[in-house]
Amino acid sequence: MAATRSPVLSWTTVVPVLAALVLAATWGRDLSTLFVILVALVLAATVLAAVHHAEVVAHRVGEPFGSLVLAVAVTIIEVALIVTLMVSGGPESASLARDTVFAAVMITCNGIVGIALMAGAIRHRFTHFNAEGTGGALATVATLATLSLVLPTFTTSQAGPEFSSAQLVFAALASLALYGMFVFTQTVRHRDFFLPVETESGSTDADGDGHADPPSGKAALLSLGLLLIALVAVVGLAKVESPAIEAGVKAIGFPPTFVGVVIALLVLAPETLAALRAALRERVQISLNLAYGSAMASIGLTIPAIAVATIWLDGPLMLGLGATQMVLFGLTMVVSVLTVVPGRATRLQGGVHLVLLAAFLFLAVNP
């Protein structure tokens, strides 16, 4: 029997501790270019480690709770990055929350979904999932995004694509209510709608773990502690790196709004890998839970958090999407409905979603 590697020697154990030490050493100091690059690498590794430990905890509690744990952990990282950059960026970062949340919606609904469907269809010819649960998740995403990102463009109480204070409070409360109802549906009332469906091979895996045994309680507690350390480190290192991120985007000639895309790509990259692994194991339902759960958490938790943060933030909070963004969002929702309704998909559906993601990224660089 092969010896198992001690968690103490794992990079996922070392990185959060290293990140905390790096944060203590760099906080409040002006860094040279070399140290900025090193801190950026540590930040990226810490995000990966945080999501890994969230996955360990998620595996321990099982599905569909596991997908929820991972989505919330990723959203905490996203909110931390947004608020940190908005504090450092001042009035010029007024649209950062909108840009990041919209990028997260497009990446999850087109990128993660497209990659999962494409990989699953290539490996297994068809991908099978539960249309009832996935359809409900998609409806919640569409409603949340419309309330928080589309309506501000058309309201008249406040000049520009932003809510008045009362409208922002309503949108935040409505987002929390919708997210809470979805969580109750997913984890209590209709839990079976979000479990992997039986495949053509006749196999199921309720935990979506690829037949691996759940971690012990001790291992799960260790991962929970390291997850908390990693999240604190991500918040601090994001503050250290925020001037370099904005300067880097400006230096290569991309629009300032691309900073939001960078944040979304960073925090969702590990979750994309998790969804890909699930799809290759013929567990596409888990991939879709991750995708739409992350999109919901990104809106339903981020917008209320930003609403609270506006008490201390200076300048306006621009949430309304532009015309091009609304066209992409509307097309994404239509295509997503057509993908979800049959309960199974082929490479074609995956390819359509990936093309929509490519269009979003291209237009983010060349608006």
Side-chain angles (χ1 to χ4, degrees), residues 28-322:
R29 300 185 180 182
D30 293 329
L31 304 179
S32 64
T33 303
L34 176 60
F35 281 102
V36 166
I37 295 173
L38 292 176
V39 171
L41 293 175
V42 172
L43 174 60
T46 307
V47 171
L48 291 170
V51 175
H52 165 78
H53 290 298
E55 285 183 315
V56 172
V57 176
H59 189 185
R60 175 66 182 178
V61 300
E63 287 295 331
F65 297 94
S67 297
L68 179 63
V69 170
L70 186 56
V72 171
V74 169
T75 303
I76 291 173
I77 297 174
E78 179 182 327
V79 170
L81 291 171
I82 292 173
V83 173
T84 300
L85 289 173
M86 288 184 72
V87 169
S88 63
E92 295 181 358
S93 61
S95 66
L96 181 60
R98 176 201 66 191
D99 299 332
T100 304
V101 170
F102 180 63
V105 171
M106 297 301 291
I107 291 169
T108 52
C109 293
N110 288 318
I112 296 180
V113 170
I115 289 172
L117 296 181
M118 180 68 76
I122 291 175
R123 175 69 66 88
H124 306 288
R125 190 181 179 191
F126 290 102
T127 58
H128 299 267
F129 47 87
N130 196 319
E132 290 89 347
T134 307
L138 178 61
T140 308
V141 171
T143 304
L144 284 170
T146 301
L147 286 175
S148 299
L149 301 177
V150 176
L151 286 182
T153 303
F154 300 99
T155 54
T156 57
S157 297
Q158 192 84 2
E162 52 183 297
F163 277 142
S164 66
S165 297
Q167 291 169 340
L168 182 59
V169 170
F170 172 79
L173 293 177
S175 297
L176 285 175
L178 279 172
Y179 188 70
M181 285 191 291
F182 174 79
V183 169
F184 178 78
T185 301
Q186 184 186 40
T187 59
V188 180
R189 190 67 177 176
H190 297 289
R191 182 175 181 270
D192 54 313
F193 284 2
F194 300 90
L195 297 178
V197 299
E198 185 173 349
T199 62
E200 292 180 351
S201 61
S203 64
T204 58
D205 181 5
D207 290 329
D209 56 11
H211 307 294
D213 293 331
S216 65
K218 182 179 179 180
L221 287 175
L222 175 62
S223 285
L224 180 60
L226 290 170
L227 173 61
L228 295 175
I229 294 174
L231 292 177
V232 172
V234 166
V235 174
L237 292 177
K239 173 64 176 177
V240 173
E241 282 289 293
S242 57
I245 293 174
E246 294 171 341
V249 170
K250 184 177 181 180
I252 59 180
F254 287 178
T257 56
F258 196 76
V259 174
V261 179
V262 173
I263 295 174
L265 288 172
L266 175 64
V267 299
L268 291 172
E271 202 158 21
T272 303
L273 295 177
L276 175 60
R277 290 196 297 267
L280 293 175
R281 295 196 305 264
E282 212 169 357
R283 303 290 181 265
V284 171
Q285 183 63 54
I286 305 302
S287 303
L288 298 181
N289 288 350
L290 288 170
Y292 294 128
S294 294
M296 270 183 282
S298 181
I299 307 170
L301 298 180
T302 300
I303 296 301
I306 298 301
V308 173
T310 55
I311 298 174
W312 299 279
L313 295 175
D314 296 327
L317 178 63
M318 298 173 59
L319 290 176
L321 297 175

